[in-house]
Amino acid sequence: MMIEIFQDTICPWCRIGKKHLFDAIRQWDGEPVTIRYRAYQLNPDTPKAGLPFWETMAAMKGGRDVVQRMVQHAANAGEAAGVPFRFDRVEMWPNTHASHTLIKLAPPERATDLVDAVFRAYFEEGKDIGSLDVLAAIAAEQGMDPEWVRSQLASDAKREEIAEDLANARELNITSVPFFIIDGKLALSGAHPAENFLKAFRQAAGTSAHR
């Protein structure tokens, strides 16, 4: 069973939704699951150097008080799901293109660990995941060659794959993430609880069985 995850690396609900998905996978006793990470950008026009997090979010959402309530809601949901958020450490609103490139550079068997490491770096450690140096360091922690990774990031090595993901998202009318496609048959939008994913797995498996 193939599960495609459209996500952005600065989206807290993507981290929460991914955790719920993997909780469901651990409970699933059907066919093996393969994950494919698809790039999505909430704000593709963000400069490469990034923007200040709180000021940018306040301008987008209608004030710092609104943003504070939003991030607290996400932090509470993260705590319930078992993934911590430290928004007090987050300073940058980065352009996420380079972080998507890093995920696509990872060997398939390491992609999930790398996604987790990027989320952890941003949401727990407050690191600027738009920085090539930060991303190269994350790659090194995951057993990748940091100099090779940095050169690949600098040359925008996966731009065609990322452009394809973004085009697919437009074709599917995806306007928010996380967005999950289960075996090419079912779609779930949002950070659904594990039981909803399990229902979708069973439904997709049943569709396959009756072909």
Side-chain angles (χ1 to χ4, degrees):
M1 181 181 293
M2 169 67 75
I3 300 177
E4 296 172 81
I5 306 175
F6 285 83
Q7 63 168 14
D8 201 0
T9 50
I10 53 171
C11 166
W13 297 101
C14 293
R15 189 184 195 199
I16 294 166
K18 177 185 170 298
K19 175 61 163 56
H20 289 166
L21 171 67
F22 276 78
D23 287 346
I25 291 171
R26 281 190 287 273
Q27 300 173 52
W28 172 242
D29 58 3
E31 63 183 286
V33 172
T34 300
I35 301 293
R36 183 174 182 183
Y37 293 97
R38 297 281 209 169
Y40 186 90
Q41 287 194 280
L42 292 168
N43 194 347
D45 296 327
T46 300
K48 281 190 176 182
L51 295 167
F53 176 80
W54 291 99
E55 291 87 340
T56 302
M57 287 290 287
M60 290 169 55
K61 302 299 182 182
R64 184 160 180 141
D65 289 346
V66 176
V67 176
Q68 190 62 55
R69 290 194 294 272
M70 290 175 61
V71 300
Q72 188 59 54
H73 179 49
N76 292 344
E79 183 178 4
V83 283
F85 290 89
R86 289 295 306 269
F87 285 102
D88 57 308
R89 296 176 176 171
V90 175
E91 297 180 354
M92 295 299 296
W93 175 266
N95 186 305
T96 57
H97 184 93
S99 63
H100 288 303
T101 302
L102 175 59
I103 292 165
K104 290 189 177 297
L105 289 171
E109 69 275 8
R110 299 303 303 274
T112 291
D113 287 342
L114 192 56
V115 169
D116 287 338
V118 171
F119 278 143
R120 186 166 55 251
Y122 186 62
F123 288 118
E124 296 181 46
E125 300 167 5
K127 293 180 179 177
D128 176 9
I129 57 168
S131 161
L132 302 195
D133 290 337
V134 168
L135 293 174
I138 293 171
E141 291 169 0
Q142 296 300 312
M144 300 174 71
D145 179 345
E147 294 305 319
W148 175 79
V149 166
R150 203 183 193 294
S151 70
Q152 294 294 297
L153 294 174
S155 66
D156 201 7
K158 297 292 182 177
R159 59 186 174 275
E160 292 181 3
E161 290 181 39
I162 292 172
E164 180 182 346
D165 287 352
L166 300 177
N168 285 343
R170 287 191 295 271
E171 290 169 9
L172 293 167
N173 293 317
I174 297 173
T175 57
S176 64
V177 284
F179 192 93
F180 306 87
I181 300 177
I182 315 296
D183 223 22
K185 306 181 187 78
L186 301 172
L188 290 175
S189 178
H192 284 263
E195 54 265 29
N196 287 8
F197 285 113
L198 285 167
K199 288 176 185 176
F201 297 169
R202 288 191 288 268
Q203 188 174 346
T207 301
S208 299
H210 289 93
R211 280 181 176 175

